[in-house]
Coordinates of all heavy atoms in Angstrom, one line a residue:
P361 N 94.2 160.1 101.7 CA 92.8 160.6 101.8 C 92.6 161.5 100.6 O 91.4 161.8 100.3 CB 92.8 161.4 103.1 CG 94.0 160.8 103.9 CD 95.0 160.3 102.9
E362 N 93.6 162.0 99.9 CA 93.4 162.8 98.6 C 93.0 162.0 97.5 O 92.4 162.5 96.5 CB 94.7 163.6 98.3 CG 95.1 164.6 99.4 CD 96.4 165.3 98.9 OE1 97.0 164.9 97.9 OE2 96.8 166.3 99.7
R363 N 93.2 160.7 97.5 CA 92.9 159.8 96.3 C 91.9 158.7 96.5 O 91.0 158.7 95.9 CB 94.3 159.2 95.9 CG 95.3 160.2 95.4 CD 96.5 159.4 94.8 NE 97.5 160.3 94.3 CZ 97.6 160.8 93.1 NH1 96.7 160.6 92.2 NH2 98.6 161.6 92.6
L364 N 92.2 157.9 97.5 CA 91.3 156.7 97.7 C 90.9 156.1 96.4 O 89.8 155.9 96.1 CB 90.0 157.0 98.5 CG 90.3 157.6 100.0 CD1 89.0 157.9 100.6 CD2 91.2 156.5 100.7
D365 N 92.0 155.8 95.6 CA 91.9 155.3 94.2 C 92.7 154.0 94.1 O 93.9 154.1 94.3 CB 92.4 156.5 93.3 CG 92.5 156.2 91.8 OD1 91.7 155.3 91.5 OD2 93.1 156.9 91.1
L366 N 92.1 153.0 93.8 CA 90.7 152.7 93.2 C 89.6 153.0 94.3 O 89.8 152.6 95.5 CB 90.6 151.2 92.8 CG 91.1 150.9 91.5 CD1 91.0 149.4 91.3 CD2 90.4 151.6 90.4
G367 N 88.5 153.6 93.9 CA 87.4 153.5 94.7 C 86.6 152.2 94.8 O 87.0 151.3 94.0
A368 N 85.8 152.0 95.7 CA 85.2 150.7 96.0 C 84.5 150.1 94.9 O 84.6 148.9 94.7 CB 84.3 150.8 97.2
T369 N 83.8 151.0 94.1 CA 82.9 150.4 92.9 C 83.9 149.8 91.8 O 83.7 148.7 91.4 CB 82.1 151.5 92.3 OG1 81.3 152.1 93.3 CG2 81.2 151.0 91.2
F370 N 84.9 150.5 91.5 CA 85.9 150.0 90.5 C 86.6 148.8 91.1 O 86.9 147.8 90.4 CB 87.0 151.0 90.2 CG 86.5 152.0 89.0 CD1 86.6 153.4 89.3 CD2 86.1 151.5 87.8 CE1 86.2 154.2 88.2 CE2 85.7 152.4 86.8 CZ 85.8 153.7 87.0
A371 N 86.9 148.8 92.4 CA 87.6 147.6 93.0 C 86.8 146.4 92.9 O 87.2 145.3 92.6 CB 88.0 147.9 94.4
R372 N 85.4 146.6 93.2 CA 84.5 145.5 93.1 C 84.4 144.9 91.6 O 84.5 143.7 91.5 CB 83.1 145.9 93.5 CG 82.3 144.9 94.1 CD 80.9 145.5 94.7 NE 81.3 146.2 95.9 CZ 80.6 147.2 96.2 NH1 79.7 147.8 95.5 NH2 80.9 147.9 97.3
T373 N 84.5 145.8 90.7 CA 84.4 145.4 89.3 C 85.7 144.6 89.0 O 85.7 143.5 88.4 CB 84.4 146.6 88.3 OG1 83.1 147.3 88.6 CG2 84.4 146.2 86.9
A374 N 86.9 145.1 89.4 CA 88.1 144.5 89.1 C 88.2 143.1 89.8 O 88.7 142.1 89.2 CB 89.3 145.3 89.6
K375 N 87.7 143.0 91.0 CA 87.7 141.6 91.6 C 86.8 140.7 90.9 O 87.2 139.5 90.7 CB 87.2 141.8 93.1 CG 87.0 140.4 93.7 CD 86.6 140.4 95.2 CE 86.3 139.0 95.7 NZ 86.2 138.9 97.1
A376 N 85.7 141.1 90.4 CA 84.8 140.2 89.6 C 85.5 139.7 88.2 O 85.1 138.7 87.8 CB 83.6 141.0 89.2
R377 N 86.5 140.6 87.8 CA 87.2 140.1 86.6 C 88.5 139.2 87.0 O 89.3 139.0 86.1 CB 87.6 141.3 85.8 CG 86.4 142.2 85.3 CD 85.6 141.4 84.3 NE 84.4 142.1 84.0 CZ 83.2 141.9 84.6 NH1 83.1 141.1 85.6 NH2 82.1 142.6 84.3
G378 N 88.7 139.0 88.3 CA 89.8 138.2 88.7 C 91.0 138.9 89.1 O 92.1 138.2 89.4
A379 N 90.9 140.2 89.2 CA 92.1 141.0 89.6 C 92.4 140.9 91.1 O 91.5 140.6 91.8 CB 92.0 142.4 89.1
R380 N 93.6 141.2 91.5 CA 94.0 141.2 92.9 C 94.6 142.7 93.1 O 94.8 143.4 92.2 CB 95.0 140.2 93.2 CG 94.4 138.9 93.2 CD 95.3 137.7 93.4 NE 95.7 137.5 94.8 CZ 96.8 136.8 95.2 NH1 97.6 136.3 94.3 NH2 97.0 136.8 96.5
F381 N 94.9 143.0 94.4 CA 95.1 144.3 94.8 C 96.3 144.4 95.8 O 96.7 143.4 96.4 CB 93.8 144.8 95.5 CG 92.6 144.7 94.7 CD1 91.9 143.5 94.7 CD2 92.2 145.8 93.9 CE1 90.7 143.4 93.9 CE2 91.1 145.6 93.1 CZ 90.3 144.4 93.0
V382 N 96.8 145.7 95.9 CA 97.6 146.0 97.0 C 97.0 147.2 97.6 O 96.4 148.1 96.9 CB 99.1 146.3 96.7 CG1 99.7 145.1 95.9 CG2 99.2 147.5 95.8
I383 N 97.1 147.3 98.9 CA 96.7 148.6 99.6 C 98.0 149.3 100.1 O 98.7 148.7 100.8 CB 95.7 148.3 100.8 CG1 94.5 147.4 100.3 CG2 95.2 149.6 101.4 CD1 93.8 147.0 101.5
S384 N 98.2 150.5 99.6 CA 99.4 151.3 99.8 C 99.1 152.7 100.2 O 98.0 153.2 99.8 CB 100.3 151.3 98.6 OG 100.7 149.9 98.2
T385 N 100.1 153.4 101.0 CA 99.8 154.7 101.4 C 100.3 155.8 100.4 O 99.9 156.9 100.6 CB 100.3 154.9 102.8 OG1 101.8 154.9 102.7 CG2 99.8 154.0 103.8
D386 N 101.3 155.5 99.6 CA 101.9 156.6 98.8 C 102.5 157.7 99.7 O 102.4 158.8 99.4 CB 100.8 157.1 97.8 CG 101.3 157.9 96.7 OD1 102.6 158.2 96.6 OD2 100.5 158.4 95.9
A387 N 103.1 157.2 100.8 CA 103.5 158.0 101.8 C 104.7 159.0 101.3 O 105.6 158.5 100.7 CB 104.0 157.3 103.0
H388 N 104.5 160.3 101.6 CA 105.5 161.2 101.3 C 106.1 161.7 102.7 O 107.0 162.6 102.7 CB 105.1 162.4 100.4 CG 104.9 162.0 99.0 ND1 103.8 161.2 98.6 CD2 105.5 162.3 97.9 CE1 103.9 161.0 97.3 NE2 104.9 161.7 96.8
H389 N 105.7 161.3 103.8 CA 106.0 161.6 105.0 C 105.7 160.5 106.0 O 104.7 159.8 105.8 CB 105.3 162.9 105.5 CG 105.8 163.6 106.8 ND1 105.5 163.0 108.0 CD2 106.5 164.7 107.0 CE1 106.1 163.7 109.0 NE2 106.7 164.8 108.4

Side-chain angles (χ1 to χ4, degrees):
E362 295 179 356
R363 292 187 183 273
L364 298 180
D365 180 18
L366 281 177
T369 305
F370 276 126
R372 205 171 292 144
T373 299
K375 176 175 173 166
R377 300 294 172 268
R380 293 174 77 194
F381 305 85
V382 303
I383 307 172
S384 302
T385 64
D386 195 355
H388 287 70
H389 188 285

